Amino acid sequence: MNIKELTIPRLGESVESVQLVRYTKNIGDFINEDEVIAEVSTDKVDSDVPATNAGKIIEFKYNEGDEIKVGEVFAVIELGNFQENNSKKEETTEKEITVEEKQKTVHQSIETSQFLSPLVKNIIQKENLTATDVNQIVGSGHDGRISKNDVLNYIQKKTNVSSSFNNSVISASSFGAKDEIIEMDKMRQLISKHMKKSKQTSPHVTAYVEPDVTNFVKWREENKTAFQTKYNQKLTFTPMIVDCVVRAIKDFPMINVSVDETETKIIKHHTINIGIATALPNNNLIVPVIKDANELNLEGLAKNVNTIVDKARHNKLSPDDIRGGTFTISNVGTFGNLMGTPIINQPEVAILATGVIKKKPAVLETEFGDIIVARQFMYLSLSFDHRVIDGSLGGVFLKRISDYMENWDMNTKF
């Protein structure tokens, strides 16, 4: 028998394992090459796993809900061009009927139209959750799908605080009588580890500038309607900032680097891939990436920014969308903040934070003397890895971004 073992592909630089959400096929089914055979969930996104060859499925190595390491064999297929037997598909064994009826009963008992994996259904049954309970659970998975962690977090919140005290390793003196213990979801745990590792890995230095962005703001205001009419793309400040950052990186390419694991070599990247830190609906953070930003004009940047941000906010990102960043931008001004001190997104060596744009009085020199006028200002802060970026390089790079924003050409065409 000519067989092929299917393995879990690498779904991201930091992804070591996945949770098997469900199989989309059954044992005995025929599957085409590149057809989806399973859905899996990582700490960051949900993904489809396609079959690498056509054939008949003869074995599944794991059950739905299991944790599987990247590279592990999860299914086996017999290679060949098999014809699906429709009459065979209609036949169901007594065991299969029992499982199907059991799952149907679970669906009826909780009265929800949402897809629930067998593992999630199991937990719901075991914990005697009602339809009201299930409808209150906010799903963090693909298309709002409820994951195991979503259910467990909900159960934790329902648990009496006093019983939590008995199992907690934290001193009781740390809590008040009405305090609530909240379990970190899987993604928040990953972010926590990633941020801690970044601070331990890179000696952070942060520099600041405050450019006068009056022309920058004025040009957008005068052109945003025409831009959207021409390209059917909303023109925000983000693609304009990315444009300035890319130009500055071209001037100082040693910003667009990373350090190898031995910490003895610098990897200088040819392409400029800009990550855009984006808040998710569940208040977690993700950094989708604009690939080859150095090859894009303003229209291309706007389209890419709008696409990845929309995908992030609707849990539609693929593993490739968050892979390969070489420099990150975090817009803290979105929340009304003046400035921030961002943590480097490893394995990058620098990250830019952009603050809120505010009008301020400014002194301008004229041929008739100094005058005070209202101008638009914005704080920029650059956190950089002092292992490979000295203060001089970090400072002149940040000032170059500032210069490009301050001197934005009012005659810029699109």
Side-chain angles (χ1 to χ4, degrees):
M1 184 186 297
N2 191 10
I3 65 170
K4 173 71 175 178
E5 294 181 330
L6 303 183
T7 60
I8 296 295
R10 180 159 291 282
L11 301 173
E13 295 173 358
S14 61
V15 176
E16 298 300 330
S17 64
V18 302
Q19 183 183 48
L20 178 63
V21 176
R22 73 181 183 107
Y23 290 111
T24 58
K25 295 283 186 176
N26 298 310
I27 292 176
D29 285 353
F30 171 80
I31 190 165
N32 294 312
E33 183 178 353
D34 293 329
E35 188 177 357
V36 175
I37 187 172
E39 295 176 5
V40 298
S41 176
T42 73
D43 297 320
K44 296 180 178 180
V45 292
D46 290 351
S47 300
D48 295 331
V49 178
T52 55
N53 299 81
K56 184 170 70 175
I57 301 169
I58 59 175
E59 184 181 2
F60 288 140
K61 297 282 189 180
Y62 291 89
N63 297 319
E64 293 176 344
D66 285 350
E67 202 81 13
I68 313 175
K69 290 183 178 179
V70 170
E72 289 287 316
V73 176
F74 71 96
V76 180
I77 61 174
E78 180 183 353
L79 298 178
N81 295 316
F82 299 95
Q83 295 296 322
E84 286 189 284
N85 189 334
N86 291 329
S87 61
K88 210 171 188 181
K89 285 181 71 178
E90 291 172 1
E91 295 177 7
T92 313
T93 65
E94 184 179 347
K95 182 180 178 181
E96 289 172 332
I97 292 173
T98 305
V99 172
E100 186 179 327
E101 286 177 348
K102 184 178 180 181
Q103 291 180 347
K104 186 176 178 183
T105 304
V106 174
H107 272 293
Q108 289 174 343
S109 66
I110 59 178
E111 298 176 358
T112 179
S113 60
Q114 298 185 65
F115 169 78
L116 300 172
S117 70
L119 177 64
V120 169
K121 293 174 191 173
N122 238 351
I123 298 171
I124 289 172
Q125 269 195 321
K126 185 177 178 181
E127 299 295 331
N128 295 317
L129 297 185
T130 65
T132 302
D133 289 323
V134 176
N135 290 330
Q136 288 177 0
I137 300 173
V138 179
S140 61
H142 185 63
D143 289 333
R145 182 179 296 160
I146 296 175
S147 69
K148 176 184 76 171
N149 286 329
D150 296 329
V151 179
L152 294 178
N153 288 339
Y154 178 80
I155 293 169
Q156 179 68 29
K157 289 178 182 178
K158 284 191 68 178
T159 305
N160 187 279
V161 174
S162 62
S163 65
S164 297
F165 285 167
N166 295 331
N167 299 317
S168 177
V169 296
I170 305 173
S171 169
S173 62
S174 303
F175 298 95
K178 296 183 179 180
D179 290 348
E180 179 184 5
I181 299 173
I182 300 174
E183 188 76 20
M184 286 187 186
D185 60 32
K186 201 169 185 181
M187 188 172 186
R188 176 51 56 185
Q189 291 178 36
L190 180 71
I191 292 171
S192 174
K193 291 177 182 176
H194 191 58
M195 294 297 99
K196 182 179 178 181
K197 181 181 177 182
S198 181
K199 293 292 283 187
Q200 292 172 339
T201 301
S202 300
H204 282 55
V205 176
T206 305
Y208 304 87
V209 290
E210 188 184 19
D212 180 338
V213 292
T214 305
N215 286 351
F216 192 77
V217 173
K218 186 178 180 183
W219 183 88
R220 175 183 171 271
E221 285 300 315
E222 292 177 353
N223 291 278
K224 63 181 181 180
T225 301
F227 189 92
Q228 184 157 5
T229 301
K230 184 175 181 178
Y231 298 119
N232 195 30
Q233 293 293 332
K234 187 177 180 181
L235 179 62
T236 64
F237 287 116
T238 301
M240 296 171 64
I241 294 170
V242 173
D243 179 74
C244 294
V245 168
V246 168
R247 284 191 278 166
I249 289 176
K250 288 179 180 178
D251 295 339
F252 300 99
M254 288 306 292
I255 294 291
N256 198 49
V257 303
S258 56
V259 181
D260 80 334
E261 292 181 0
T262 67
E263 297 193 52
T264 60
K265 294 181 178 66
I266 297 173
I267 303 167
K268 187 178 178 182
H269 302 293
H270 175 69
T271 58
I272 301 174
N273 300 332
I274 304 294
I276 306 295
T278 306
L280 295 173
N282 60 5
N283 295 321
N284 283 324
L285 186 73
I286 202 163
V287 185
V289 177
I290 301 173
K291 305 291 175 57
D292 300 312
N294 49 308
E295 303 293 334
L296 300 174
N297 58 15
L298 197 57
E299 176 203 355
L301 291 173
K303 183 177 181 180
N304 274 267
V305 167
N306 293 337
T307 298
I308 62 174
V309 170
D310 183 70
K311 288 173 73 174
R313 289 172 179 166
H314 292 88
N315 292 315
K316 298 285 188 179
L317 289 172
S318 69
D320 191 56
D321 291 326
I322 57 174
R323 184 185 295 137
T326 61
F327 184 93
T328 294
I329 298 172
S330 180
N331 183 8
V332 300
T334 299
F335 314 108
N337 300 139
L338 283 175
M339 67 177 78
T341 54
I343 297 176
I344 298 166
N345 185 26
Q346 298 292 330
E348 299 164 20
V349 297
I351 180 172
L352 178 77
T354 59
V356 68
I357 297 173
K358 296 191 74 172
K359 280 186 179 181
K360 291 183 179 182
V363 178
L364 295 185
E365 295 180 356
T366 73
E367 58 181 310
F368 306 107
D370 294 346
I371 60 172
I372 297 177
V373 295
R375 303 285 289 180
Q376 303 269 15
F377 287 90
M378 169 194 241
Y379 280 106
L380 303 178
S381 56
L382 180 78
S383 293
F384 53 92
D385 188 337
H386 216 334
R387 292 178 301 170
V388 290
I389 300 178
D390 294 327
S392 58
L393 175 57
V396 295
F397 171 71
L398 180 59
K399 184 61 168 62
R400 187 61 55 88
I401 298 173
S402 173
D403 290 342
Y404 281 132
M405 294 178 71
E406 281 196 339
N407 301 313
W408 185 271
D409 186 359
M410 292 299 292
N411 297 315
T412 298
K413 303 297 181 184
F414 51 84

